[in-house]
C-alpha cells in the first residue's frame, strides 16, 4: 500500500468509474485497475462492489476511504509545511544574544532577516553567557551569539567565531579623573566601577593590580542602558564593549579613559564573540539563515574603531 494507491481509490469513489477516475489521475485505465486490485490484495478483501453500477464502496472500502482521506490530506499538509520551512516562508526562530552584540550586529541582522523572510516569527533572548548557555541546554533557543570562551572546551557545544569586540573604560565629561594628566590603576580603584558581567580572569587581574585578593565591581548589569545612565549621572567608571558606547564616545557624551600601567590585553577587555549551538543537533533552516546573516554582516562591517577623542582628551579636563 502506498499513497498513490490511496489517491486512486479516493478518485474511484468520487468518479464512480474506472475510466473517468483513470483519466482524472492521468494514467491508463488498465494501470489504474491494477493499482486498485493491488490495494485490495493488500487488505485481503474487496473495496468496491463491482456488481453495483455505481461502484459503491464495500463496508471495508468505507473504512479504507475514511483513513485514506486523512492520510492523503496529512501527507499534503506535511509536504506544504516542510516546503514552507525550506523556503523560509513560515515557522519560528528562537535565538539569543549577549548585550554587547545586541547593540549593533544583532539588530542589523534582524532587520535584514525580517525583510528577507517576513513569514518567520522571531524571538530574541538577550542575557549573559551563563544564562544563554542554560537556555540552549534546555532547547529554549537554537543558538546564541556572545563570548565563546566559556563554551569552546565543552563537547556539548559547537562554536563558530566572529570578530572580537574590544572593550574600554569610560566616564562622563567633567569627571574628576579628566583633570589629571596621567592616570594609573590606583585612580581606577578610587571610584566605583560599573560593568557588564566580568569574567573571573579579568576580575583577578584587576585585583592583582590593586593589591587585593579579589575584586568585584560596585555595579554589574547586562542592561547597558542602565550602566550608561549610572556613569552619566555619577563619578562611577564604566567598562563595556567599545561598540556599545561608540555613539556616546563620538558625540562626547562619554569619554574614553586610558591607564598608563594597565596591560594592553586587559585595557582592551576584548570579548571573543561567536555563534554557540548544540553539538550534534541539526539547526532549522531559519536558524541557519540567521547565522549566515550574522556572519555576513560581521565580515562586511567589523566593529567600529573609535579613536581617542582630542577634546576633551581622557586624562584632561574638558574645556
Amino acid at each position: 500500500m502506498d499513497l498513490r494507491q490511496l489517491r486512486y481509490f479516493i478518485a474511484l469513489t468520487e468518479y464512480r468509474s474506472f475510466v473517468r477516475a483513470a483519466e482524472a489521475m492521468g494514467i491508463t485505465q488498465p494501470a489504474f485497475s491494477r493499482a486498485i486490485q493491488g490495494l485490495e490484495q493488500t487488505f485481503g478483501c474487496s473495496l468496491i462492489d463491482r456488481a453495483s453500477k455505481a461502484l459503491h464502496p464495500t463496508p471495508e472500502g468505507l473504512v479504507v476511504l475514511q483513513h485514506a482521506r486523512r492520510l492523503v490530506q496529512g501527507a499534503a499538509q506535511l509536504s506544504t509545511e516542510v516546503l514552507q520551512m525550506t523556503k523560509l516562508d513560515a515557522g519560528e526562530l528562537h535565538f539569543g544574544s549577549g548585550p554587547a552584540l545586541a547593540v549593533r550586529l544583532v539588530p542589523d541582522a534582524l532587520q535584514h532577516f525580517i525583510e528577507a523572510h517576513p513569514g518567520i516569527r522571531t524571538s530574541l533572548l538577550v542575557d549573559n553567557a551563563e544564562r544563554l548557555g542554560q537556555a540552549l541546554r534546555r532547547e529554549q533557543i537554537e543558538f546564541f551569539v556572545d563570548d565563546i570562551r566559556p563554551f569552546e572546551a565543552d563537547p556539548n557545544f559547537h562554536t563558530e567565531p566572529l570578530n572580537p569586540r574590544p572593550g574600554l573604560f569610560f566616564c562622563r565629561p567633567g569627571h574628576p579623573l579628566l583633570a589629571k594628566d596621567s592616570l594609573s590603576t590606583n585612580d581606577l580603584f578610587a571610584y566605583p566601577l560599573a560593568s557588564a558581567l566580568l569574567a573571573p580572569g579579568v576580575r583577578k587581574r584587576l585585583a592583582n593590580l590593586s593589591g587585593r585578593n579579589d575584586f568585584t565591581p560596585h555595579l554589574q548589569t547586562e542592561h547597558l542602558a542602565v550602566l550608561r545612565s549610572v556613569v552619566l549621572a555619577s563619578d562611577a567608571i564604566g567598562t563595556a564593549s567599545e561598540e556599545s558606547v561608540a555613539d556616546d564616545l563620538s558625540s562626547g557624551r562619554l569619554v574614553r579613559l586610558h591607564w598608563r600601567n594597565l596591560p594592553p590585553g586587559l585595557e582592551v577587555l576584548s570579548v571573543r564573540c561567536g555563534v554557540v549551538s548544540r553539538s550534534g543537533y541539526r539547526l532549522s533552516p531559519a536558524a541557519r539563515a540567521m547565522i549566515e546573516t550574522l556572519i555576513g554582516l560581521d565580515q562586511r562591517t567589523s566593529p567600529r574603531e573609535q579613536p581617542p577623542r582630542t577634546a576633551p582628551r581622557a586624562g584632561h579636563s574638558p574645556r
Side-chain angles (χ1 to χ4, degrees):
M1 178 184 63
D2 57 36
L3 288 175
R4 177 183 54 86
Q5 290 174 312
L6 295 177
R7 291 190 184 99
Y8 291 169
F9 180 64
I10 294 171
L12 180 58
T13 62
E14 292 174 351
Y15 288 96
R16 302 298 175 92
S17 166
F18 279 87
V19 174
R20 291 199 304 271
E23 290 176 351
M25 300 307 293
I27 64 172
T28 65
Q29 189 271 326
F32 185 89
S33 296
R34 287 195 297 271
I36 298 299
Q37 290 170 359
L39 188 62
E40 290 177 321
Q41 290 174 1
T42 299
F43 290 110
C45 61
S46 296
L47 302 179
I48 293 292
D49 183 3
R50 290 173 173 79
S52 168
K53 186 177 181 179
L55 296 177
H56 292 295
T58 64
E60 295 85 355
L62 289 174
V63 174
V64 172
L65 178 62
Q66 179 182 7
H67 287 277
R69 284 173 174 162
R70 287 204 301 263
L71 289 170
V72 170
Q73 182 180 6
Q77 183 178 358
L78 174 61
S79 178
T80 299
E81 290 183 3
V82 172
L83 184 61
Q84 286 178 336
M85 289 186 66
T86 303
K87 290 186 175 181
L88 295 177
D89 293 332
E92 296 183 356
L93 169 63
H94 300 266
F95 76 105
S97 171
L101 293 178
V103 174
R104 179 166 295 124
L105 178 63
V106 170
D108 289 350
L110 280 170
Q111 177 185 346
H112 284 76
F113 186 83
I114 291 172
E115 290 176 354
H117 312 293
I120 302 294
R121 296 183 298 276
T122 305
S123 174
L124 171 65
L125 171 66
V126 179
D127 215 324
N128 62 49
E130 180 179 354
R131 287 194 283 267
L132 289 173
Q134 293 172 354
L136 188 59
R137 289 186 183 93
R138 295 169 183 163
E139 301 185 21
Q140 296 169 337
I141 55 177
E142 286 197 73
F143 72 92
F144 66 86
V145 285
D146 198 24
D147 193 338
I148 62 176
R149 286 174 291 187
F151 307 95
E152 287 180 309
D154 191 329
N156 295 310
F157 295 102
H158 171 75
T159 60
E160 186 169 0
L162 298 170
N163 286 319
R165 262 57 186 181
L168 76 163
F169 291 95
F170 55 89
C171 65
R172 63 173 177 84
H175 192 285
L177 285 179
L178 298 177
K180 303 188 68 171
D181 291 331
S182 180
L183 300 178
S184 71
T185 51
N186 288 331
D187 298 308
L188 166 64
F189 298 109
Y191 294 92
L193 180 65
S195 76
L197 186 65
L198 291 177
V202 175
R203 292 206 320 267
K204 186 65 176 178
R205 294 178 69 181
L206 284 171
N208 291 339
L209 290 169
S210 64
R212 308 178 187 185
N213 293 326
D214 198 2
F215 173 76
T216 302
H218 294 77
L219 169 65
Q220 290 190 93
T221 177
E222 299 300 334
H223 295 278
L224 295 172
V226 173
L227 192 155
R228 173 182 174 276
S229 296
V230 169
V231 172
L232 285 172
S234 70
D235 286 340
I237 297 170
T239 177
S241 71
E242 186 171 359
E243 185 175 3
S244 65
V245 292
D247 291 339
D248 288 315
L249 292 173
S250 62
S251 67
R253 289 189 295 269
L254 292 173
V255 182
R256 177 196 299 257
L257 291 169
H258 297 276
W259 316 95
R260 66 175 183 268
N261 62 332
L262 196 63
L266 185 61
E267 182 177 13
V268 170
L269 293 173
S270 180
V271 177
R272 190 159 3 113
C273 296
V275 180
V276 182
S277 58
R278 289 175 295 157
S279 298
Y281 285 80
R282 181 177 176 83
L283 293 169
S284 69
R288 293 197 300 270
M290 174 57 80
I291 291 174
E292 291 173 2
T293 302
L294 288 162
I295 293 175
L297 288 174
D298 183 65
Q299 293 174 345
R300 190 188 319 165
T301 55
S302 59
R304 286 192 305 182
E305 295 292 336
Q306 297 295 326
R309 290 183 53 78
T310 56
R313 289 181 56 196
H316 290 268
S317 299
R319 302 193 184 274

